[in-house]
Amino acid sequence: TQQEIDQLRLQLESKFAQDLESEKQRMYNASMQILQHAEQKGNVAQLPEEKAAINSGKLIRIKLWPTQTYDSRDPSQYHFRLAESQFFRMMGNQANLYKVQQVEYIVNGTLVRNYNSYKSQLMAKGRIGRGSPVEERLAFHGTSQEVMELILNGGFKIGGQGVAIASGAAHGYGVYTSEEPSFALHYIKTTGLTSLLFCKVLMCPS
């Protein structure tokens, strides 16, 4: 009967959605393991400009473009492909609607040093790593062009604590990011802007 057909269709759609979510999570975990392993082994080479920025505390911006060939010794290709692959993996069945035309690799030396210092403190306390309560993840953040520039220069700020709340506080004060680029895209507030911030974040229990 039509009712039985409709019920079967709903069951198949539900099963497909669950399988897709499981596959996205598996691929995300694989990406993080590769990244963390490479960083631990010192296999992620830094761009010359990146080393100078970290040493000086300055901000640099490097435009990266897609290439048909791949040189594993070229850190610019590594960073482009990490951003591109993570975007498409986490977009799921919407991936065919988008194309990554350019990645702007931005390094704020002061913020990198602060991040690494805090991460080292957590590792020394045994609060980061496999089985620990602190996780390091890859995340996307959508906002306006104006706020994006403020973040790049001064880091994320918690809305309601000295700065205005940009998009509400449904789950309390904090910096809202998402592993899902499709979700972050909804928060782009500048007409014509198609860029997202893509970054590593430390997720700590309060």
Side-chain angles (χ1 to χ4, degrees):
T1 66
Q2 185 60 46
Q3 183 177 7
E4 292 174 329
I5 293 175
D6 290 341
Q7 288 179 343
L8 178 60
R9 177 177 57 80
L10 289 173
Q11 291 173 359
L12 291 173
E13 288 178 350
S14 176
K15 180 66 166 57
F16 175 78
Q18 292 174 3
D19 290 346
L20 179 62
E21 191 61 32
S22 297
E23 179 64 10
K24 285 168 65 177
Q25 188 61 46
R26 185 191 68 79
M27 296 179 77
Y28 175 84
N29 292 339
S31 293
M32 282 304 301
Q33 288 175 5
I34 292 171
L35 175 62
Q36 291 170 354
H37 178 75
E39 289 179 336
Q40 290 167 3
K41 296 295 183 180
N43 293 335
V44 180
Q46 291 180 328
L47 295 160
E49 302 95 327
E50 182 178 1
K51 295 178 182 179
I54 294 174
N55 291 333
S56 66
K58 294 181 179 179
L59 182 143
I60 61 164
R61 312 171 81 119
I62 305 170
K63 295 187 186 305
L64 308 178
W65 307 91
T67 60
Q68 291 185 335
T69 58
Y70 177 66
D71 183 351
S72 60
R73 299 165 297 179
D74 184 351
S76 65
Q77 293 191 32
Y78 166 84
H79 289 298
F80 182 93
R81 290 170 187 268
L82 175 64
E84 181 186 49
S85 63
Q86 190 66 13
F87 178 84
F88 284 129
R89 284 175 176 177
M90 300 309 291
M91 284 299 292
N93 58 4
Q94 298 182 57
N96 62 338
L97 302 177
Y98 297 88
K99 180 179 181 180
V100 178
Q101 297 180 320
Q102 176 187 305
V103 170
E104 188 172 24
Y105 186 57
I106 301 172
V107 178
N108 183 317
T110 298
L111 297 181
V112 170
R113 292 206 301 252
N114 291 345
Y115 181 93
N116 289 337
S117 175
Y118 186 58
K119 179 180 175 181
S120 296
Q121 293 176 37
L122 294 177
M123 293 180 71
K125 296 176 182 178
R127 295 187 62 196
I128 187 169
R130 188 167 296 177
S132 74
V134 179
E135 296 181 336
E136 189 172 32
R137 297 192 180 188
L138 298 173
F140 295 90
H141 182 78
T143 186
S144 66
Q145 183 66 55
E146 178 184 5
V147 173
M148 187 179 293
E149 292 300 321
L150 292 174
I151 293 171
L152 296 176
N153 283 278
F156 286 108
K157 306 294 183 184
I158 296 178
Q161 298 184 9
V163 296
I165 297 176
S167 302
H171 302 284
Y173 294 151
V175 174
Y176 286 67
T177 63
S178 176
E179 297 171 358
E180 307 278 350
S182 58
F183 184 79
L185 284 168
H186 292 300
Y187 291 88
I188 293 179
K189 299 179 179 179
T190 301
T191 302
L193 180 66
T194 58
S195 301
L196 289 172
L197 285 174
F198 176 57
C199 55
K200 289 191 297 184
V201 297
L202 287 170
M203 297 183 62
C204 310
S206 57

